[in-house]
Structures are given as C-alpha cells and as structure tokens.
Amino acid sequence: MIVKHLSNLIGTIDDVDTETWNSRRLLLGKDKMGFSLNDTLIKEGTETLIWYKNHVEAVYCIEGVGEIEVIGGETYPITPGMMYALNGHEKHYLRARSQMRMICVFNPPLTGREVHDEEGTYPLL
Ligand code: 9YT
C-alpha cells in the first residue's frame, strides 16, 4: 500500500512548477499503478495550450473557475465539480479565471517532471 500526503510533496522533486501551473505529483509511473495522479493548481489569469498526444487525461475541478476551449470545438465552463476527460487527445486551451485546483489522472502514467513542450505536449518517456 502507498500512503502519501500533499504536505510532504511540496518543494520536492515531485512538485513541478511552471509559469501557468503547479503540479503536485502524488502517483507517478514508479508507483506502478498504471496511471498517475496529480493535485494541480492552475494559476489565476493564465492560458495554457495543451495537447496530450501521448496520453489520456481526466481532470476534476475541486476549486476555482475557468474554461476549456477545445480547438476547433466547444468551450466549456469549469467550476468545482466539473470533470472533463480528454479521451480523444483534444488540443485545447485551459484558462483560469481564478486559481483552479484540479485532480488530474494520466494514462500512461507520468514518469516524473514532464512539462509541456511548445505544442503543449508531454513526451512519452
Ligand atoms: C489540467 C492540466 O492538464 N493542467 C496541466 C498540468 C497537468 N495536468 C499536470 O501535469 O498536472
């Protein structure tokens, strides 16, 4: 059994901070669960281009408000309780009107300190 607490991750190698988001990585590939689990803060007023070509991701908002715009598709408001699952590798913009706290699950699991490249993609490591 694996037991972790967010407070013990802050400031460690599993706490990945970028200009637009801060991903606290609770489960990674090394944990051998078949998925990864992040508690991620999306910074207020930011827009991030994201395109997970190599992963599927489910995102569950527990705090804050914003929106997701699927490029070439619809725009959906994000509020606490809203979940979206990128089961079609949708390229999108994620915008945070206030700081949003999101629980993010990836398959295949993230392996470590992935950050988006210029296309918004995470490499398959
Ligand atoms: C919701 C989303 O994809 N945010 C970008 C960060 C990513 N989820 C992560 O690595 O935690």
Side-chain angles (χ1 to χ4, degrees), residues 73-91:
E74 288 190 50
T75 299
Y76 302 90
I78 299 173
T79 57
M82 187 269 203
M83 187 283 305
Y84 62 87
L86 300 163
N87 60 348
H89 305 280
E90 292 86 350
K91 190 173 187 177

Side-chain angles (χ1 to χ4, degrees), residues 21 23 25 38 40 42 50 52 57 59 84 94 102 104 106 110 114 116 122:
W21 51 262
S23 176
R25 298 188 165 163
N38 308 330
T40 299
I42 311 296
I50 299 175
Y52 295 125
E57 184 196 27
V59 180
Y84 62 87
L94 182 62
M102 321 288 261
C104 308
F106 282 88
L110 302 185
E114 288 96 336
H116 298 127
Y122 283 165

Side-chain angles (χ1 to χ4, degrees), residues 8 10 22 26 33 41 43 47 55 58 61 63-64 87 91:
N8 300 128
I10 312 274
N22 176 200
L26 288 156
M33 293 291 289
L41 302 174
K43 298 181 185 179
E47 175 182 84
H55 300 81
C61 175
E63 288 173 15
N87 60 348
K91 190 173 187 177

